[in-house]
Amino acid sequence: MAEQSIRALVSLDDGIDETTVRAALPQGKNLQVVGFLRGVEQSWSTLQETATDLLVIACSGYSERALSLIGGTAREHPALPIVVLSDSSPDGFLSRLFEMGADDVIRLPESPERVGFTLQKVVARRRAMSSAGGTGRGSMICVLGPKGGTGKTVTCSNLASALAGFGKRVTVIDLDLQFGDLALSMGVRPETTIYDLATSPGSVDADKLDAYLVPHESGARVLVAPTRPDQSAAVTVEFLREIYQIVRETSDFVVVDTSPGFSSEVISAIDASTDVCMLSMLDTLSLKNTRLGLETLDLMGYETARTVLVLNRADSRVGISDEDVDRIVGRKPEVRVPSDVQITRSVNEGRPIVLGRPKSEAAQSFQRLAEVFAARVGVGPAPEPATADKAEKSESKPRLHLLSRRQ
Ligand SMILES: Nc1ncnc2c1ncn2[C@@H]1O[C@H](COP(=O)(O)OP(=O)(O)OP(=O)(O)O)[C@@H](O)[C@H]1O
Ligand SMILES: [Mg+2]
């Protein structure tokens, strides 16, 4: 491997000795340390302003701060590789580092030669991936609904089909690992599932993943949920994180259907996503849960402007006005989907309504939803909505990760 000069930013967590870290790093022109920084805050702000090829985080023991910095960096600077130097590996810490998005972990003490080799390897691998991927990483839209039956699966199948209609590469993942019915709703045969992929021998790469995706008539490809609930245990959060990385390299849009609530796999999908589509319905309980869901996203540091609120069955005459929605949820929905028996029919037929009855009001709503997400990355016919505009300009901040607070 031809060695290349790497500009690295080194973040020192509390408790780690600077001389130990300096001694571990190779000398010479192949590694240029652009800064030694103390603590997450300083590291984060310097990261925004400094041109760098690599973030090195040195920590000692189990460090929530390091995990939070990795998570925020992986999301806000997805192209930047991250290597962790650690002088100990407490229980569970190593897997959490990878879960959060670290590319590699080096256990100190280690010779500067081996450290240098690992840093070169990680940067070279990332460069190779981005030149192979060409356009970089696609959007990942996580479709959420705090309660069951709010229309997540219907929305996913229609959103994915409408985005594929823009001529984009779309992959849709059924993350409802126990009772996923996206395949049924889209009318694809579950010949290969995420369970088959997770239990297949060897590691996963883009070609292998490709073989497990089931094509849909819209042009989208589906990673189908396990066919039996007991198979869900084989699909771990670590495996999912790996899949998200690969699938975003090979898709313009990744749409993720989820199970109700904030399970650990749903949280990992939110962490890896660029956008959230939050589903709500017109009843007080659903609206209240939507508010809780939005508050939870806020706690995770998920920028409000990256969330699109969809009010499903929005025309039902149930005595709840627009003002009530605004008051209970705290914001107005961007898209409303009417209650329409044709939606139920389209689910039963296994054909998304945007394909089966594209002129219906419901299909037009899903089309608008797709346009909102497409406009965020400059695709599709719709003008960019105010919220997306704000997202572009808003200050980046590291996101706290609920997963990282769980232990
Ligand atoms: N706007 C609508 N008009 C009529 N029927 C609808 C509408 N939205 C959803 N449905 C029906 O409601 C049912 C539940 O929808 P869906 O499966 O998409 O919900 P979900 O949020 O994925 O549920 P779960 O949490 O169980 O996965 C479906 O049978 C669908 O046909
Ligand atoms: Mg569902």
Side-chain angles (χ1 to χ4, degrees):
M1 182 172 61
E3 295 216 338
Q4 44 203 327
S5 178
I6 298 173
R7 293 166 301 178
L9 201 60
V10 181
S11 168
L12 300 166
D13 192 20
D14 297 349
I16 186 93
D17 178 33
E18 183 171 335
T19 30
T20 312
V21 177
R22 281 189 187 275
L25 294 173
Q27 305 292 318
K29 60 177 171 26
N30 288 335
L31 184 75
Q32 223 184 306
V33 177
V34 293
F36 266 100
L37 307 157
R38 265 280 163 213
V40 171
E41 285 296 314
Q42 195 195 9
S43 302
W44 184 254
S45 52
T46 312
L47 204 55
Q48 312 306 319
E49 299 150 5
T50 313
T52 178
D53 303 311
L54 173 71
L55 175 64
V56 176
I57 299 173
C59 57
S60 180
Y62 195 102
S63 168
E64 286 292 345
R65 291 175 302 273
L67 291 169
S68 157
L69 180 60
I70 296 168
T73 307
R75 180 173 178 275
E76 305 294 340
H77 303 274
L80 185 66
I82 306 165
V83 174
V84 177
L85 306 181
S86 176
D87 65 2
S88 59
S89 51
D91 274 356
F93 188 50
L94 192 67
S95 60
R96 301 293 305 287
L97 290 169
F98 285 114
E99 242 172 67
M100 283 296 131
D103 289 78
D104 219 323
V105 178
I106 301 169
R107 176 83 192 271
L108 297 179
E110 184 54 274
S111 72
E113 292 71 33
R114 289 200 66 85
V115 172
F117 177 79
T118 303
L119 302 185
Q120 287 282 347
K121 183 186 72 179
V122 164
V123 172
R125 196 198 286 148
R126 282 296 196 105
R127 284 180 181 160
M129 263 165 87
S130 63
S131 58
T135 52
R137 291 172 170 211
S139 305
M140 177 163 152
I141 306 161
C142 199
V143 178
L144 302 180
K147 289 274 259 193
T150 42
K152 297 179 292 297
T153 302
V154 166
T155 301
C156 272
S157 59
N158 281 284
L159 177 59
S161 303
L163 288 169
F166 297 151
K168 294 288 143 188
R169 298 169 303 170
V170 178
T171 306
V172 44
I173 301 177
D174 193 345
L175 202 61
D176 189 346
L177 296 176
Q178 296 210 349
F179 297 103
D181 41 21
L182 184 70
L184 262 181
S185 164
M186 294 184 82
V188 299
R189 291 169 66 88
E191 273 153 8
T192 48
T193 72
I194 195 168
Y195 169 77
D196 301 327
L197 180 61
T199 53
S200 65
S203 59
V204 184
D205 60 17
D207 288 338
K208 182 172 176 186
L209 173 64
D210 204 53
Y212 284 82
L213 298 176
V214 184
H216 180 245
E217 61 163 307
S218 63
R221 286 150 0 118
V222 190
L223 187 53
V224 177
T227 46
R228 291 200 325 260
D230 58 283
Q231 295 175 336
S232 65
V235 184
T236 62
V237 167
E238 286 87 348
F239 166 79
L240 288 167
R241 275 201 73 98
E242 212 184 315
I243 295 300
Y244 299 145
Q245 293 230 12
I246 298 168
V247 79
R248 281 189 60 202
E249 297 284 346
T250 54
S251 313
D252 299 309
F253 293 98
V254 181
V255 181
V256 184
D257 191 9
T258 60
S259 50
F262 286 85
S263 61
S264 57
E265 59 269 7
V266 171
I267 290 171
S268 79
I270 296 168
D271 278 343
S273 71
T274 56
D275 302 85
V276 157
C277 176
M278 178 68 85
L279 264 292
S280 188
M281 291 204 305
L282 259 193
D283 65 81
T284 324
L285 296 184
S286 178
L287 292 170
K288 184 215 75 178
N289 288 320
T290 302
R291 187 195 185 104
L292 277 176
L294 291 171
E295 282 171 3
T296 308
L297 288 174
D298 199 38
L299 265 177
M300 291 171 75
Y302 209 94
E303 289 162 32
T304 314
R306 302 310 297 172
T307 306
V308 171
L309 180 62
V310 174
L311 196 57
N312 190 19
R313 297 174 178 261
D315 61 342
S316 311
R317 306 201 195 306
V318 288
I320 298 182
S321 68
D322 279 9
E323 290 69 38
D324 292 331
V325 174
D326 203 357
R327 187 173 44 77
I328 301 170
V329 181
R331 66 183 271 185
K332 290 193 169 60
E334 276 85 358
V335 176
R336 293 159 175 273
V337 180
S339 203
D340 185 346
V341 67
Q342 301 289 4
I343 290 190
T344 314
R345 220 165 266 164
S346 75
V347 172
N348 293 339
E349 287 167 4
R351 189 153 195 245
I353 196 168
V354 294
L355 299 178
R357 295 172 186 85
K359 295 214 159 30
S360 63
E361 206 191 319
Q364 298 287 318
S365 304
F366 289 124
Q367 198 68 32
R368 272 198 301 283
L369 180 63
E371 287 169 8
V372 167
F373 287 114
R376 291 184 165 191
V377 288
V379 174
E384 193 158 322
T387 48
D389 193 35
K390 253 194 295 177
E392 292 291 313
K393 290 179 185 137
S394 67
E395 286 263 302
S396 293
K397 57 173 180 176
R399 294 211 324 235
L400 293 171
H401 291 260
L402 287 196
L403 262 184
S404 65
R405 293 204 215 128
R406 288 196 152 190
Q407 283 191 349

